[in-house]
Amino acid sequence: MGYKLEEISFFSKMGEQNIKKLASISFFKHYHANELLFYEGDDPKYLYILLDGVLRLYKTNPKGQEIYMHQFVPVSMIGELANFENIKFPASAKFITSGTILKIEYKKLEEDFFKNPEICMEIIRSLTTKVKILSNVIHQEMILTSEAKVAKFINEHTELFQSIRNNQIAAILNVSPETLSRTLAKLKKDAIISIDKKHSIIIHDSKALELLYS
Amino acid sequence: MGYKLEEISFFSKMGEQNIKKLASISFFKHYHANELLFYEGDDPKYLYILLDGVLRLYKTNPKGQEIYMHQFVPVSMIGELANFENIKFPASAKFITSGTILKIEYKKLEEDFFKNPEICMEIIRSLTTKVKILSNVIHQEMILTSEAKVAKFINEHTELFQSIRNNQIAAILNVSPETLSRTLAKLKKDAIISIDKKHSIIIHDSKALELLYS
DNA sequence: CGATACATTGAACAAATTCAAAGCTGGTGG
DNA sequence: CCACCAGCTTTGAATTTGTTCAATGTATCG
């Protein structure tokens, strides 16, 4: 695999002893694009460390549609909540690109884990990140209108906008492609943005965009 | 106030030394019902420990309406995310009943705080709780329909249902009173529940209720 | 008992999705 | 290199789900 435990930032400050112990209860696994890491409702068994690739976290609504929540990039700890609390995963995760995961048998880890202050700090960091992620999801989905979401995305992810199709942007924003198309049309009509043939966006009035979501 | 630091579960395992230090950087404050603890967008200064009373966490949408998120009961640590990350509060908090808060000057706490494994564990516990809360908010607001929300609430909070007015239930569920009224009417028509004059609910078919939200 | 808040019901409205059809585009194989 | 076709994008119309508005009815509590 080409990965070494001691080179992973999470564990770099662990003693050699602990690294050996960790090695005995974990293994690396490669995943292909579109492969599922876990599914909403699954019982957790492993704690995951994303080492390579892009992993999408999403929920599925009763109509079977995917509600985008977040995309993780390396290095991220994933699944700690479900493991700590021993509850089913509240969301699903699938690879967008191919990637690599360190899978750690959580049960065997538990006892020693929380004694190590460095590891505790990593967990706190990871949980803090999760709270922020969820807080953002709530803000995006419960407070912002479709137009506000689009405006925010354009201002905050201009480069990403140009690099993917409207299709995918709509999925990330949890709006239909039609709604995105209509919203972009409106922003163009209002001379706030323009979009050239190569899907490059020109922001004429960043302030006006910002006003739409703040 | 009648509160002692060493009797607060969060700090019961702290050494006497640390308790003294904590005492020097914190104080108790009493709040009346409806009083605000902090407002969305405020800069954090204190870490809060709710010792008494019920504290509602909510967001405000662009129309000025309150979006209910959670109600904290004692003993809860509140505001740790905003303090850790030094970001503005992502939501507001106000007292539903009168209550008491221990306000800790976060800045002065920081250095010693994370060295204490007991305190670290409390933080992890608190953050874990927050992740669960937010995860539930997302599920309730993004996945469930109004009918599903009502059905879930009836099944999971039957006693609470009887003790408050539809008014308040609607606020907790983030639906309009009209929608709640119509949904209850439908459930009664379908003979899944009935409600007597004293707002007592009789669940005729708990399974049917559960099917509506799972 | 009576004022005031709460609950119910119907009708209009709002925001976004879905459906359908037509127009583009861009990558692939000839 | 170009033509084709599948998959995007756009646009309009219908639909969905819930809120808002308005009117009426019903509790509740001083």
Side-chain angles (χ1 to χ4, degrees), chain B residues 166-190:
Chain B
N166 284 1
N167 224 3
Q168 291 306 307
I169 297 170
I172 291 174
L173 294 178
N174 295 317
V175 300
S176 68
E178 292 93 333
T179 296
L180 176 59
S181 173
R182 284 185 253 261
T183 305
L184 290 173
K186 183 175 177 296
L187 295 177
K188 284 185 249 178
K189 190 175 70 62
D190 295 349

Side-chain angles (χ1 to χ4, degrees), chain A residues 65 145-146 165 174-176 178-179 182:
Chain A
Q65 296 160 320
T145 63
S146 290
R165 296 168 152 288
N174 295 316
V175 301
S176 68
E178 292 92 334
T179 296
R182 283 185 254 262

Side-chain angles (χ1 to χ4, degrees), chain B residues 133-145:
Chain B
I133 289 168
L134 297 181
S135 182
N136 283 334
V137 169
I138 289 171
H139 193 84
Q140 171 171 314
E141 297 302 316
M142 297 174 59
I143 306 297
L144 301 185
T145 62

Side-chain angles (χ1 to χ4, degrees), chain A residues 7-25:
Chain A
E7 288 169 5
I8 300 169
S9 61
F10 282 103
F11 309 120
S12 58
K13 286 171 185 159
M14 253 183 164
E16 200 186 324
Q17 192 68 19
N18 285 326
I19 293 277
K20 264 189 192 144
K21 187 173 272 173
L22 182 59
S24 73
I25 60 169

Side-chain angles (χ1 to χ4, degrees), chain B residues 70-101:
Chain B
H70 185 69
Q71 276 179 188
F72 290 101
V73 294
V75 179
S76 298
M77 186 187 293
I78 291 153
E80 72 276 46
L81 176 76
N83 277 295
F84 290 175
E85 296 286 303
N86 198 29
I87 55 176
K88 292 172 191 306
F89 286 111
S92 308
K94 73 171 173 193
F95 277 94
I96 296 304
T97 65
S98 66
T100 306
I101 289 273

Side-chain angles (χ1 to χ4, degrees), chain B residues 3-197:
Chain B
Y3 287 101
K4 288 185 176 174
L5 286 178
E6 55 270 36
E7 288 169 4
I8 298 169
S9 60
F10 283 103
F11 309 120
S12 58
K13 285 170 185 158
M14 255 183 163
E16 200 185 324
Q17 191 69 18
N18 285 326
I19 292 277
K20 264 190 193 142
K21 187 173 274 174
L22 182 59
S24 73
I25 60 169
S26 69
F27 59 96
F28 298 97
K29 182 160 182 217
H30 184 263
Y31 289 85
H32 298 288
N34 299 315
E35 210 172 337
L36 270 158
L37 181 61
F38 54 80
Y39 202 82
E40 186 172 352
D42 281 357
D43 282 310
K45 180 172 174 193
Y46 299 105
L47 183 67
Y48 303 111
I49 311 287
L50 176 67
L51 299 172
D52 187 44
V54 177
L55 184 73
R56 178 175 295 182
L57 187 76
Y58 64 96
K59 283 176 82 83
T60 306
N61 74 12
K63 290 185 202 163
Q65 296 160 321
E66 290 182 10
I67 312 289
Y68 174 101
M69 295 181 68
H70 185 69
Q71 276 179 188
F72 290 101
V73 294
V75 179
S76 298
M77 186 187 293
I78 291 153
E80 72 276 46
L81 176 76
N83 277 295
F84 290 175
E85 296 286 303
N86 198 29
I87 55 176
K88 292 172 191 306
F89 286 111
S92 308
K94 73 171 173 193
F95 277 94
I96 296 304
T97 65
S98 66
T100 306
I101 289 273
L102 177 67
K103 300 178 76 168
I104 307 172
E105 292 185 52
Y106 179 75
K107 277 274 163 56
K108 299 190 179 171
L109 187 75
E110 214 164 0
E111 46 271 26
D112 313 295
F113 215 55
F114 295 111
K115 287 180 199 150
N116 185 324
E118 300 294 346
I119 297 290
C120 275
M121 273 319 292
E122 290 297 342
I123 294 173
I124 289 174
R125 233 189 294 282
S126 177
L127 285 170
T128 300
T129 305
K130 298 286 155 66
V131 176
K132 280 208 296 190
I133 289 168
L134 297 181
S135 182
N136 283 334
V137 169
I138 289 171
H139 193 84
Q140 171 171 314
E141 297 302 316
M142 297 174 59
I143 306 297
L144 301 185
T145 62
S146 289
E147 185 182 62
K149 290 198 232 179
V150 173
K152 189 161 194 257
F153 187 88
I154 291 172
N155 250 354
E156 297 181 355
H157 306 285
T158 315
E159 24 9 270
L160 182 55
F161 184 95
Q162 343 225 51
S163 72
I164 58 179
R165 292 162 153 290
N166 284 1
N167 224 3
Q168 291 306 307
I169 297 170
I172 291 174
L173 294 178
N174 295 317
V175 300
S176 68
E178 292 93 333
T179 296
L180 176 59
S181 173
R182 284 185 253 261
T183 305
L184 290 173
K186 183 175 177 296
L187 295 177
K188 284 185 249 178
K189 190 175 70 62
D190 295 349
I192 294 173
I193 61 167
S194 39
I195 296 173
D196 71 12
K197 47 221 70 175

